[in-house]
Every structure is written in structure tokens, then in C-alpha cells.
Coordinates of all heavy atoms in Angstrom, one line a residue:
L9 N -14.9 -52.3 48.7 CA -15.8 -51.9 47.7 C -15.4 -50.7 46.9 O -14.8 -49.8 47.5 CB -17.2 -51.6 48.4 CG -17.8 -52.7 49.2 CD1 -19.1 -52.1 49.9 CD2 -18.2 -53.8 48.3
V10 N -15.6 -50.7 45.6 CA -15.3 -49.5 44.8 C -16.6 -49.1 44.2 O -17.3 -49.8 43.6 CB -14.3 -49.9 43.7 CG1 -14.0 -48.8 42.7 CG2 -13.0 -50.5 44.2
I11 N -16.9 -47.8 44.6 CA -18.2 -47.3 44.2 C -18.1 -46.1 43.3 O -17.3 -45.2 43.4 CB -19.0 -46.8 45.5 CG1 -19.2 -48.0 46.4 CG2 -20.3 -46.2 45.2 CD1 -19.8 -47.7 47.8
A12 N -19.0 -46.1 42.3 CA -19.1 -45.0 41.3 C -20.6 -44.9 41.0 O -21.3 -45.8 41.1 CB -18.3 -45.3 40.1
G13 N -21.0 -43.7 40.5 CA -22.4 -43.6 40.1 C -22.9 -42.2 39.9 O -22.1 -41.2 40.0
L14 N -24.2 -42.1 39.8 CA -24.8 -40.8 39.6 C -25.4 -40.2 40.9 O -25.6 -41.0 41.8 CB -25.9 -40.9 38.5 CG -25.4 -41.3 37.1 CD1 -26.6 -41.5 36.2 CD2 -24.5 -40.3 36.6
E15 N -25.6 -38.9 40.9 CA -26.1 -38.3 42.1 C -25.2 -38.5 43.3 O -25.6 -39.1 44.3 CB -27.5 -38.6 42.3 CG -28.5 -38.3 41.2 CD -28.4 -36.8 40.8 OE1 -28.1 -35.9 41.6 OE2 -28.8 -36.6 39.6
A16 N -23.9 -38.1 43.1 CA -22.9 -38.4 44.1 C -23.3 -37.8 45.4 O -22.9 -38.3 46.5 CB -21.6 -37.8 43.6
H17 N -24.0 -36.7 45.4 CA -24.3 -36.0 46.7 C -25.5 -36.7 47.4 O -25.8 -36.3 48.6 CB -24.7 -34.5 46.4 CG -25.8 -34.4 45.4 ND1 -25.8 -34.7 44.1 CD2 -27.1 -33.9 45.6 CE1 -26.9 -34.5 43.5 NE2 -27.7 -34.0 44.4
V18 N -26.1 -37.7 46.8 CA -27.2 -38.4 47.5 C -26.9 -39.9 47.5 O -26.5 -40.5 48.5 CB -28.5 -38.1 46.8 CG1 -29.7 -38.9 47.5 CG2 -28.8 -36.6 46.8
C19 N -27.1 -40.5 46.4 CA -27.0 -42.0 46.3 C -25.6 -42.5 46.6 O -25.4 -43.4 47.4 CB -27.4 -42.5 44.9 SG -29.1 -42.0 44.5
V20 N -24.6 -42.0 45.9 CA -23.2 -42.5 46.1 C -22.8 -42.2 47.5 O -22.2 -43.0 48.2 CB -22.2 -41.8 45.1 CG1 -20.8 -42.2 45.4 CG2 -22.6 -42.3 43.7
L21 N -23.0 -40.9 48.0 CA -22.6 -40.5 49.3 C -23.2 -41.4 50.4 O -22.5 -42.0 51.3 CB -23.0 -39.1 49.6 CG -22.8 -38.5 51.0 CD1 -21.3 -38.2 51.1 CD2 -23.6 -37.3 51.2
Q22 N -24.5 -41.6 50.4 CA -25.2 -42.4 51.4 C -24.8 -43.9 51.3 O -24.6 -44.5 52.4 CB -26.7 -42.3 51.3 CG -27.2 -40.9 51.6 CD -28.6 -40.6 51.4 OE1 -29.4 -41.5 50.9 NE2 -29.1 -39.4 51.6
T23 N -24.6 -44.4 50.1 CA -24.2 -45.8 50.0 C -22.8 -46.0 50.5 O -22.6 -46.9 51.3 CB -24.2 -46.2 48.5 OG1 -25.6 -46.1 48.0 CG2 -23.8 -47.6 48.3
A24 N -21.9 -45.1 50.2 CA -20.5 -45.3 50.6 C -20.3 -45.2 52.1 O -19.7 -46.0 52.8 CB -19.6 -44.3 49.9
I25 N -21.0 -44.2 52.7 CA -20.9 -44.0 54.1 C -21.6 -45.1 54.9 O -21.1 -45.6 55.9 CB -21.5 -42.6 54.5 CG1 -20.6 -41.5 54.1 CG2 -21.7 -42.5 56.0 CD1 -21.1 -40.1 54.3
G26 N -22.7 -45.6 54.3 CA -23.4 -46.7 55.0 C -22.5 -48.0 55.0 O -22.4 -48.7 56.0
F27 N -21.9 -48.3 53.9 CA -21.0 -49.5 53.9 C -19.8 -49.3 54.8 O -19.4 -50.2 55.5 CB -20.5 -49.8 52.4 CG -21.5 -50.6 51.6 CD1 -22.0 -50.1 50.5 CD2 -21.9 -51.9 52.0 CE1 -22.9 -50.8 49.7 CE2 -22.7 -52.6 51.3 CZ -23.3 -52.1 50.2
A28 N -19.2 -48.1 54.8 CA -18.1 -47.8 55.7 C -18.4 -48.0 57.1 O -17.7 -48.5 57.9 CB -17.5 -46.4 55.4
E29 N -19.6 -47.5 57.5 CA -20.1 -47.6 58.9 C -20.3 -49.1 59.3 O -20.2 -49.4 60.4 CB -21.4 -46.8 59.1 CG -21.1 -45.3 59.1 CD -22.4 -44.5 59.2 OE1 -23.5 -45.1 58.9 OE2 -22.4 -43.3 59.4
R30 N -20.5 -49.9 58.3 CA -20.7 -51.4 58.5 C -19.4 -52.1 58.5 O -19.4 -53.4 58.5 CB -21.7 -51.9 57.6 CG -23.1 -51.5 57.9 CD -24.1 -51.8 56.7 NE -25.4 -51.4 57.0 CZ -25.9 -50.1 56.9 NH1 -25.0 -49.1 56.6 NH2 -27.1 -49.8 57.2
G31 N -18.3 -51.4 58.3 CA -17.0 -52.0 58.4 C -16.4 -52.4 57.1 O -15.3 -53.0 57.0
Y32 N -17.0 -52.1 56.0 CA -16.4 -52.4 54.6 C -15.3 -51.4 54.3 O -15.5 -50.2 54.6 CB -17.5 -52.3 53.6 CG -18.5 -53.5 53.6 CD1 -19.6 -53.4 54.4 CD2 -18.3 -54.6 52.9 CE1 -20.5 -54.4 54.5 CE2 -19.2 -55.7 52.9 CZ -20.3 -55.6 53.7 OH -21.2 -56.6 53.8
R33 N -14.3 -51.8 53.6 CA -13.3 -50.9 53.1 C -13.9 -50.4 51.8 O -14.0 -51.0 50.8 CB -12.0 -51.7 52.8 CG -11.2 -52.0 54.1 CD -9.9 -52.8 53.8 NE -9.2 -52.3 52.7 CZ -8.6 -53.0 51.8 NH1 -8.5 -54.3 52.0 NH2 -7.9 -52.5 50.8
T34 N -14.3 -49.1 51.9 CA -15.0 -48.5 50.8 C -14.2 -47.4 50.1 O -13.7 -46.6 50.9 CB -16.4 -48.0 51.3 OG1 -17.1 -49.0 52.0 CG2 -17.2 -47.4 50.2
H35 N -14.2 -47.3 48.8 CA -13.5 -46.3 48.1 C -14.5 -45.7 47.0 O -15.3 -46.5 46.4 CB -12.3 -46.8 47.3 CG -11.3 -47.3 48.2 ND1 -11.4 -48.4 49.0 CD2 -10.1 -46.7 48.6 CE1 -10.3 -48.6 49.7 NE2 -9.5 -47.6 49.5
V36 N -14.5 -44.4 46.8 CA -15.4 -43.8 45.8 C -14.5 -43.2 44.7 O -13.5 -42.5 45.0 CB -16.2 -42.7 46.4 CG1 -17.0 -41.9 45.4 CG2 -17.2 -43.3 47.4
V37 N -14.9 -43.5 43.5 CA -14.1 -43.1 42.3 C -14.6 -41.7 41.8 O -15.7 -41.7 41.2 CB -14.2 -44.2 41.2 CG1 -13.3 -43.8 40.0 CG2 -13.9 -45.5 41.7
A38 N -13.9 -40.7 42.2 CA -14.4 -39.3 42.0 C -14.7 -39.0 40.5 O -15.7 -38.4 40.2 CB -13.4 -38.3 42.5
D39 N -13.8 -39.5 39.6 CA -14.0 -39.1 38.2 C -15.0 -40.1 37.5 O -15.2 -40.0 36.3 CB -12.7 -39.0 37.4 CG -11.8 -40.3 37.5 OD1 -12.0 -41.0 38.5 OD2 -11.0 -40.4 36.6
A40 N -15.6 -41.0 38.3 CA -16.7 -41.9 37.7 C -18.0 -41.6 38.5 O -18.8 -42.4 38.5 CB -16.2 -43.3 37.8
C41 N -18.1 -40.4 39.1 CA -19.3 -40.0 39.8 C -19.8 -38.7 39.2 O -19.0 -37.9 38.8 CB -19.0 -39.8 41.3 SG -18.7 -41.3 42.1
G42 N -21.0 -38.5 39.2 CA -21.6 -37.2 38.7 C -22.8 -36.8 39.6 O -23.3 -37.5 40.4
S43 N -23.1 -35.5 39.4 CA -24.3 -34.9 40.1 C -24.8 -33.9 39.1 O -24.1 -33.5 38.1 CB -23.9 -34.2 41.4 OG -23.5 -35.1 42.4
R44 N -26.0 -33.4 39.3 CA -26.6 -32.4 38.4 C -25.7 -31.2 38.4 O -25.6 -30.5 37.4 CB -28.0 -32.1 38.7 CG -28.9 -33.2 38.2 CD -30.3 -33.1 38.7 NE -30.4 -33.4 40.1 CZ -31.1 -32.9 41.0 NH1 -32.0 -31.9 40.7 NH2 -31.1 -33.3 42.3
S45 N -25.1 -30.9 39.5 CA -24.2 -29.7 39.5 C -22.8 -30.1 40.0 O -22.7 -31.0 40.9 CB -24.8 -28.6 40.4 OG -24.6 -28.9 41.8
E46 N -21.8 -29.5 39.5 CA -20.4 -29.8 39.9 C -20.2 -29.5 41.4 O -19.5 -30.1 42.1 CB -19.4 -29.1 39.0 CG -18.0 -29.3 39.3 CD -17.5 -30.8 39.2 OE1 -18.3 -31.6 38.7 OE2 -16.4 -31.1 39.5
A47 N -20.9 -28.4 41.8 CA -20.8 -28.0 43.2 C -21.2 -29.1 44.1 O -20.6 -29.4 45.1 CB -21.5 -26.7 43.5
S48 N -22.4 -29.7 43.8 CA -22.9 -30.9 44.6 C -21.9 -32.0 44.6 O -21.7 -32.7 45.7 CB -24.3 -31.3 44.1 OG -25.2 -30.3 44.3
R49 N -21.3 -32.3 43.5 CA -20.4 -33.4 43.4 C -19.2 -33.2 44.3 O -18.7 -34.0 45.0 CB -20.0 -33.7 41.9 CG -19.2 -35.0 41.7 CD -18.6 -35.1 40.3 NE -17.5 -34.2 40.1 CZ -16.2 -34.4 40.5 NH1 -16.0 -35.5 41.2 NH2 -15.3 -33.6 40.3
L50 N -18.7 -32.0 44.2 CA -17.5 -31.6 45.0 C -17.7 -31.6 46.5 O -16.9 -32.1 47.3 CB -17.0 -30.2 44.6 CG -16.4 -30.1 43.2 CD1 -16.0 -28.7 42.8 CD2 -15.2 -31.0 43.0
V51 N -18.9 -31.2 46.9 CA -19.3 -31.2 48.3 C -19.4 -32.7 48.8 O -19.0 -33.0 49.9 CB -20.6 -30.4 48.6 CG1 -21.1 -30.7 50.0 CG2 -20.3 -28.9 48.4
A52 N -20.0 -33.5 47.9 CA -20.1 -34.9 48.3 C -18.7 -35.6 48.5 O -18.5 -36.3 49.5 CB -20.8 -35.7 47.2
M53 N -17.7 -35.2 47.6 CA -16.4 -35.8 47.8 C -15.7 -35.3 49.1 O -15.1 -36.0 49.8 CB -15.5 -35.4 46.6 CG -15.9 -35.9 45.3 SD -16.1 -37.7 45.2 CE -17.8 -37.9 44.7
D54 N -16.0 -34.0 49.5 CA -15.5 -33.5 50.7 C -16.1 -34.2 51.9 O -15.4 -34.5 52.9 CB -15.8 -32.0 50.8 CG -15.0 -31.1 49.9 OD1 -13.9 -31.6 49.4 OD2 -15.3 -29.9 49.7
R55 N -17.4 -34.5 51.8 CA -18.1 -35.2 52.9 C -17.6 -36.6 53.1 O -17.4 -37.1 54.2 CB -19.6 -35.2 52.7 CG -20.3 -33.9 53.1 CD -21.7 -34.0 53.4 NE -22.0 -35.0 54.4 CZ -23.2 -35.6 54.5 NH1 -24.2 -35.3 53.6 NH2 -23.5 -36.5 55.4
L56 N -17.3 -37.2 51.9 CA -16.8 -38.6 52.0 C -15.4 -38.6 52.7 O -15.1 -39.5 53.5 CB -16.7 -39.2 50.6 CG -18.0 -39.5 49.9 CD1 -17.9 -39.7 48.4 CD2 -18.6 -40.8 50.5
R57 N -14.5 -37.7 52.3 CA -13.2 -37.6 52.9 C -13.4 -37.4 54.4 O -12.7 -38.0 55.2 CB -12.4 -36.5 52.3 CG -11.9 -36.8 50.9 CD -11.1 -35.7 50.3 NE -10.9 -35.9 48.9 CZ -11.5 -35.2 47.9 NH1 -12.5 -34.3 48.3 NH2 -11.3 -35.5 46.7
A58 N -14.3 -36.5 54.8 CA -14.5 -36.2 56.2 C -15.0 -37.4 57.0 O -14.7 -37.6 58.2 CB -15.5 -35.0 56.4
A59 N -15.7 -38.3 56.3 CA -16.2 -39.6 56.9 C -15.2 -40.7 56.8 O -15.5 -41.8 57.0 CB -17.5 -40.0 56.2
A60 N -13.9 -40.4 56.4 CA -12.8 -41.3 56.2 C -13.1 -42.3 55.1 O -12.6 -43.5 55.2 CB -12.5 -42.0 57.5
V61 N -13.8 -42.0 54.1 CA -14.0 -42.8 52.9 C -13.0 -42.3 51.9 O -13.1 -41.1 51.4 CB -15.4 -42.7 52.4 CG1 -15.5 -43.5 51.1 CG2 -16.4 -43.3 53.4
P62 N -12.0 -43.1 51.5 CA -11.1 -42.6 50.5 C -11.7 -42.3 49.1 O -12.6 -43.0 48.7 CB -10.1 -43.8 50.3 CG -10.2 -44.6 51.6 CD -11.7 -44.4 52.0
V63 N -11.3 -41.2 48.6 CA -11.8 -40.7 47.3 C -10.6 -40.9 46.3 O -9.5 -40.4 46.5 CB -12.2 -39.3 47.3 CG1 -12.6 -38.8 45.9 CG2 -13.4 -39.1 48.3
V64 N -10.8 -41.7 45.3 CA -9.8 -42.1 44.3 C -10.2 -41.8 42.9 O -11.3 -41.3 42.7 CB -9.5 -43.6 44.5 CG1 -9.0 -44.0 45.9 CG2 -10.7 -44.5 44.2
T65 N -9.3 -42.0 42.0 CA -9.6 -41.8 40.6 C -9.7 -43.2 39.9 O -9.1 -44.2 40.4 CB -8.5 -41.0 39.8 OG1 -7.3 -41.7 39.8 CG2 -8.4 -39.6 40.5
A66 N -10.3 -43.2 38.7 CA -10.4 -44.5 38.0 C -9.0 -45.0 37.6 O -8.7 -46.2 37.7 CB -11.2 -44.3 36.7
E67 N -8.1 -44.2 37.3 CA -6.7 -44.6 36.9 C -6.0 -45.2 38.2 O -5.4 -46.2 38.0 CB -5.9 -43.4 36.4 CG -4.6 -43.8 35.8 CD -3.9 -42.7 35.1 OE1 -4.6 -41.8 34.5 OE2 -2.7 -42.7 35.1
M68 N -6.2 -44.6 39.3 CA -5.7 -45.2 40.5 C -6.2 -46.6 40.8 O -5.4 -47.5 41.1 CB -6.0 -44.3 41.8 CG -5.4 -43.0 41.8 SD -6.1 -41.8 43.0 CE -5.6 -42.5 44.5
V69 N -7.5 -46.8 40.6 CA -8.1 -48.1 40.8 C -7.5 -49.1 39.8 O -7.1 -50.2 40.2 CB -9.6 -48.1 40.7 CG1 -10.2 -49.4 40.6 CG2 -10.2 -47.2 41.8
M70 N -7.4 -48.8 38.5 CA -6.9 -49.7 37.5 C -5.5 -50.1 37.8 O -5.2 -51.3 37.8 CB -7.0 -49.0 36.1 CG -8.4 -48.9 35.6 SD -8.5 -48.2 33.9 CE -8.3 -46.5 34.3
F71 N -4.6 -49.2 38.2 CA -3.3 -49.6 38.5 C -3.1 -50.4 39.8 O -2.3 -51.3 39.9 CB -2.4 -48.3 38.5 CG -2.0 -47.9 37.1 CD1 -2.5 -46.7 36.6 CD2 -1.1 -48.6 36.3 CE1 -2.2 -46.3 35.3 CE2 -0.8 -48.2 35.0 CZ -1.4 -47.0 34.5
E72 N -3.9 -50.0 40.8 CA -3.9 -50.8 42.0 C -4.4 -52.2 41.8 O -3.8 -53.2 42.4 CB -4.7 -50.1 43.1 CG -4.0 -48.9 43.6 CD -4.7 -48.2 44.7 OE1 -5.4 -48.9 45.6 OE2 -4.6 -46.9 44.8
W73 N -5.4 -52.4 40.9 CA -5.9 -53.8 40.6 C -4.8 -54.6 39.9 O -4.8 -55.8 40.1 CB -7.2 -53.7 39.9 CG -8.4 -53.4 40.7 CD1 -8.4 -53.4 42.1 CD2 -9.7 -53.1 40.3 NE1 -9.7 -53.1 42.5 CE2 -10.5 -52.9 41.4 CE3 -10.2 -53.0 39.0 CZ2 -11.8 -52.5 41.3 CZ3 -11.6 -52.6 38.9 CH2 -12.4 -52.4 40.1
L74 N -4.0 -54.0 39.1 CA -2.9 -54.7 38.5 C -1.8 -55.2 39.4 O -1.1 -56.1 39.2 CB -2.2 -53.8 37.4 CG -3.0 -53.7 36.1 CD1 -2.2 -52.8 35.1 CD2 -3.2 -55.1 35.4
E75 N -1.7 -54.5 40.5 CA -0.7 -54.8 41.6 C 0.7 -54.5 41.4 O 1.4 -54.0 42.3 CB -0.9 -56.2 42.1 CG -2.3 -56.5 42.7 CD -2.4 -57.9 43.1 OE1 -1.8 -58.8 42.5 OE2 -3.2 -58.2 44.1
H76 N 1.2 -54.8 40.2 CA 2.7 -54.5 39.9 C 2.9 -54.3 38.4 O 2.1 -54.8 37.6 CB 3.6 -55.5 40.5 CG 3.3 -56.9 40.1 ND1 3.7 -57.4 38.9 CD2 2.6 -57.9 40.7 CE1 3.3 -58.7 38.7 NE2 2.6 -59.0 39.8
A77 N 4.0 -53.6 38.1 CA 4.3 -53.3 36.7 C 4.7 -54.5 35.8 O 4.6 -54.3 34.6 CB 5.3 -52.2 36.6
E78 N 5.0 -55.6 36.4 CA 5.4 -56.7 35.6 C 4.3 -57.5 35.0 O 4.5 -58.4 34.2 CB 6.2 -57.7 36.5 CG 7.6 -57.1 36.9 CD 7.5 -56.1 38.0 OE1 6.7 -56.3 38.9 OE2 8.3 -55.2 38.0
R79 N 3.0 -57.1 35.3 CA 1.9 -57.8 34.8 C 1.8 -57.6 33.3 O 2.0 -56.5 32.8 CB 0.6 -57.3 35.4 CG 0.4 -57.5 36.9 CD -0.1 -58.9 37.3 NE -1.3 -59.2 36.6 CZ -2.5 -59.3 37.2 NH1 -2.7 -58.9 38.4 NH2 -3.6 -59.6 36.5
P80 N 1.4 -58.6 32.5 CA 1.4 -58.4 31.1 C 0.3 -57.4 30.6 O 0.4 -56.8 29.6 CB 1.0 -59.8 30.5 CG 0.6 -60.6 31.7 CD 1.2 -60.0 32.9
E81 N -0.7 -57.2 31.4 CA -1.8 -56.3 31.1 C -1.3 -54.8 31.2 O -2.0 -53.9 30.8 CB -3.0 -56.5 32.0 CG -3.6 -57.9 31.9 CD -3.0 -58.9 32.8 OE1 -2.0 -58.6 33.5 OE2 -3.6 -60.0 33.0
M82 N -0.2 -54.6 31.9 CA 0.3 -53.2 32.1 C 0.4 -52.4 30.8 O -0.1 -51.3 30.7 CB 1.6 -53.2 32.9 CG 2.1 -51.8 33.1 SD 1.1 -50.8 34.2 CE 1.6 -51.3 35.8
R83 N 1.0 -52.9 29.8 CA 1.2 -52.2 28.5 C -0.2 -51.9 27.9 O -0.4 -50.8 27.4 CB 2.1 -53.0 27.6 CG 3.5 -53.0 28.0 CD 4.3 -53.7 26.9 NE 5.6 -54.1 27.4 CZ 6.7 -53.3 27.4 NH1 6.6 -52.1 27.0 NH2 7.8 -53.8 27.9
E84 N -1.1 -52.9 28.0 CA -2.4 -52.7 27.4 C -3.1 -51.6 28.1 O -3.8 -50.7 27.5 CB -3.2 -54.0 27.5 CG -2.7 -55.1 26.6 CD -3.5 -56.4 26.9 OE1 -4.7 -56.3 27.0 OE2 -2.8 -57.4 26.9
L85 N -3.0 -51.5 29.4 CA -3.7 -50.5 30.2 C -3.1 -49.1 29.9 O -3.9 -48.2 29.7 CB -3.6 -50.8 31.7 CG -4.2 -49.8 32.7 CD1 -5.7 -49.6 32.4 CD2 -3.9 -50.2 34.1
I86 N -1.8 -49.0 29.9 CA -1.2 -47.7 29.6 C -1.7 -47.2 28.2 O -2.0 -46.1 28.0 CB 0.3 -47.9 29.6 CG1 0.7 -48.1 31.1 CG2 1.0 -46.6 29.0 CD1 2.2 -48.4 31.3
A87 N -1.7 -48.1 27.2 CA -2.2 -47.7 25.9 C -3.7 -47.2 25.9 O -4.0 -46.3 25.2 CB -2.1 -48.9 24.9
L88 N -4.5 -47.9 26.7 CA -5.9 -47.5 26.8 C -6.1 -46.1 27.5 O -7.0 -45.4 27.1 CB -6.7 -48.5 27.6 CG -7.0 -49.8 26.9 CD1 -7.6 -50.8 27.9 CD2 -7.9 -49.6 25.7
I89 N -5.3 -45.8 28.5 CA -5.5 -44.5 29.2 C -4.8 -43.3 28.6 O -5.1 -42.2 29.0 CB -5.2 -44.7 30.7 CG1 -3.7 -45.0 30.9 CG2 -6.1 -45.7 31.3 CD1 -3.3 -45.0 32.3
K90 N -3.9 -43.6 27.7 CA -3.2 -42.4 27.0 C -4.1 -41.7 26.0 O -4.9 -42.2 25.4 CB -1.9 -42.9 26.4 CG -0.8 -43.1 27.4 CD 0.5 -43.4 26.7 CE 1.5 -43.5 27.8 NZ 2.9 -43.6 27.2

């Protein structure tokens, strides 16, 4: 599961940990999550890591979904993120 959303310190955190505890491979996209305060968002990312939930970036997810550089979509993706 790839999770992103608002109120990272409550909704995203509890959802991600809950799925991970149920055996799902769960990842949280740090730069696609927000909280009312940056401090709360950062603490949520720390708690996720401590709970063994990988914290990733949107760019990491996009490139991993492409799987390899030979995909025709690679050039399009690079143009979009630059």
C-alpha cells in the first residue's frame, strides 16, 4: 500500500501502522503528507520509521513503479518532475 494524505500525525499515521500490523507492505509518501504544523508531520514520519513503516518520496514511488529505465514512460516522467 502507498499512503499519502492530510493530518499525517493522526490519520496517516494510524492508517499506515494499522495496515502494517495486519501484514500489509505499507509505505508512506512523506512529501505527499501534511499536518497543520511541520513539527507534527516530522514527528509522524519518525514514528512511522520506528514502527518499521518505510517513509518514501513521491519521486521514489514513481520510479519504482516504472521498474526499469527502458520503459517508454521514463522520458515522460523525467520531463514531468524536472
Side-chain angles (χ1 to χ4, degrees):
L9 300 173
V10 177
I11 299 174
L14 299 175
E15 300 306 334
H17 60 291
V18 181
C19 300
V20 172
L21 177 74
Q22 292 174 1
T23 299
I25 289 174
F27 276 119
E29 287 173 345
R30 287 167 181 78
Y32 289 88
R33 288 180 38 218
T34 305
H35 296 72
V36 173
V37 185
D39 57 337
C41 291
S43 291
R44 282 173 285 146
S45 77
E46 180 64 5
S48 292
R49 190 187 74 79
L50 292 173
V51 170
M53 298 302 123
D54 288 343
R55 282 201 53 205
L56 288 162
R57 288 182 192 99
V61 174
V63 176
V64 298
T65 66
E67 190 170 327
M68 291 166 71
V69 171
M70 289 183 279
F71 282 108
E72 286 181 37
W73 283 349
L74 281 178
E75 296 178 328
H76 55 81
E78 290 79 35
R79 297 275 309 254
E81 299 91 346
M82 179 63 85
R83 290 184 195 273
E84 294 175 41
L85 179 59
I86 290 171
L88 286 172
I89 62 174
K90 283 189 176 184

